[in-house]
């Protein structure tokens, strides 16, 4: 298969991370989940003496998007390292701002070719996003995401994949979700028009179906 880059977008709770994991396993794509990577980076105790990291952590924990120049630098470095290994790539939720898109898209076009960059937007309503975020858990061991609605227990404690302990992301707190949704609407959605003008195809998909059905739809577009 030709080397490709996939970008997944959608408001909080659309299952971007889940679909990224499925596609990574099926198509042998290097998975770069920007949200999780930045979460781990700014909350790593070893980094707390760094003033920049502390600043970005405050933004992250408030539900706001982190400084675009900081995020672009981190993501661009990862993309270039991955491309050097001749690996295909999947980005979950990145670039997140127009500034990041203006800096990162030329890199993706150079490394993968514009026609080999697939951009998917998983669309759900605000109500669905709020509901899903309230039900979302992550595994501390294998990182698998879990929606409680697909789990027998109303309050799951252990990962169904590896048995590890589950936890809720800092930015999934109800009081932060309104801010995150506003940030997606005002700072991420404008990227789609910019991408279209640059010749990228934006594929909108209904994000409400169960994860396996959503995966079949996304995979079908890539395999055409």
């Amino acid at each position: 298969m030709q080397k490709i880059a996939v970008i997944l977008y959608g408001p909080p709770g659309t299952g971007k991370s889940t679909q990224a994991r499925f596609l990574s396993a099926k198509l042998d794509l290097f998975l770069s989940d920007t949200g999780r990577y930045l979460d781990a980076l700014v909350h790593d105790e070893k980094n707390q003496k760094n003033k920049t990291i502390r600043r970005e952590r405050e933004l992250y924990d408030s539900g706001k998007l982190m400084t675009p120049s900081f995020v672009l630098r981190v993501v661009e470095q990862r993309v270039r390292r991955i491309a050097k290994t001749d690996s295909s790539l999947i980005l979950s939720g990145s670039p997140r701002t127009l500034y990041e898109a203006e800096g990162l898209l030329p890199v993706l076009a150079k490394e993968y070719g514009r026609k080999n960059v697939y951009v998917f937007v998983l669309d759900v309503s605000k109500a669905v996003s709020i509901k899903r975020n309230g039900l979302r858990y992550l595994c501390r061991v294998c990182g698998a995401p879990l929606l409680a609605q697909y789990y027998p227990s109303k309050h799951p404690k252990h990962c169904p994949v590896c048995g590890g302990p589950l936890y809720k992301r800092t930015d999934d707190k109800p009081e932060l979700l309104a801010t995150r949704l506003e940030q997606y609407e005002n700072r991420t959605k404008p990227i789609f028009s910019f991408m279209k003008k640059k010749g990228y195809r934006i594929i909108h998909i209904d994000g409400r179906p169960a994860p396996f059905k959503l995966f079949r739809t996304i995979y079908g577009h890539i395999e055409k």
Side-chain angles (χ1 to χ4, degrees):
M1 182 177 179
Q2 191 170 18
K3 190 170 69 169
I4 65 172
V6 179
I7 303 176
L8 293 178
Y9 282 114
T14 48
K16 297 184 293 295
S17 294
T18 297
Q19 295 305 317
R21 289 168 64 90
F22 288 168
L23 291 167
S24 174
K26 182 69 174 181
L27 297 171
D28 194 25
L29 308 178
F30 190 103
L31 172 56
S32 181
D33 189 324
T34 303
R36 291 196 190 187
Y37 182 77
L38 292 174
D39 184 355
L41 179 66
V42 301
H43 289 100
D44 189 334
E45 291 302 321
K46 293 183 294 184
N47 297 330
Q48 298 314 303
K49 292 183 179 180
N50 185 304
K51 291 182 179 180
T52 300
I53 294 295
R54 291 203 305 269
R55 179 196 68 200
E56 298 304 322
R57 177 174 179 168
E58 289 180 6
L59 290 171
Y60 185 96
D61 289 346
S62 69
K64 297 178 181 178
L65 294 182
M66 297 161 71
T67 306
S69 57
F70 172 81
V71 176
L72 175 59
R73 184 169 65 253
V74 171
V75 175
E76 184 177 341
Q77 289 173 351
R78 283 173 62 81
V79 168
R80 290 187 185 280
R81 286 199 300 266
I82 294 167
K84 283 183 179 180
T85 67
D86 204 32
S87 300
S88 291
L89 166 72
I90 183 165
L91 288 164
S92 176
S94 181
R96 300 184 178 195
T97 65
L98 191 55
Y99 175 90
E100 294 167 40
E102 291 173 341
L104 188 61
L105 286 179
V107 177
L108 290 172
K110 178 182 178 181
E111 299 291 352
Y112 294 92
R114 186 173 303 171
K115 67 178 181 179
N116 297 319
V117 177
Y118 294 81
V119 183
F120 295 96
V121 181
L122 311 183
D123 294 315
V124 300
S125 67
K126 182 177 179 180
V128 170
S129 178
I130 292 172
K131 179 180 179 181
R132 285 187 174 181
N133 274 267
L135 297 171
R136 179 164 66 177
Y137 293 85
L138 294 173
C139 176
R140 290 194 181 279
V141 178
C142 72
L146 166 71
L147 279 180
Q149 70 186 85
Y150 299 118
Y151 198 77
S153 171
K154 292 183 179 180
H155 303 287
K157 295 182 179 180
H158 301 286
C159 173
V161 177
C162 73
L166 297 174
Y167 74 101
K168 295 185 74 66
R169 278 173 43 164
T170 304
D171 59 349
D172 274 347
K173 294 178 180 178
E175 61 269 25
L176 300 182
L177 187 54
T179 300
R180 294 179 63 204
L181 287 169
E182 182 181 356
Q183 296 274 297
Y184 177 77
E185 189 71 27
N186 297 331
R187 300 184 68 185
T188 299
K189 276 190 173 182
I191 294 174
F192 306 154
S193 296
F194 171 75
M195 285 181 165
K196 287 180 180 178
K197 290 179 181 178
K198 292 296 183 179
Y200 293 90
R201 182 187 175 197
I202 311 297
I203 305 170
H204 286 266
I205 295 176
D206 183 355
R208 293 173 298 173
F212 80 95
K213 293 182 179 179
L214 192 55
F215 167 72
R216 290 193 306 202
T217 301
I218 298 172
Y219 180 70
H221 282 283
I222 296 175
E223 283 296 286
K224 281 184 179 180

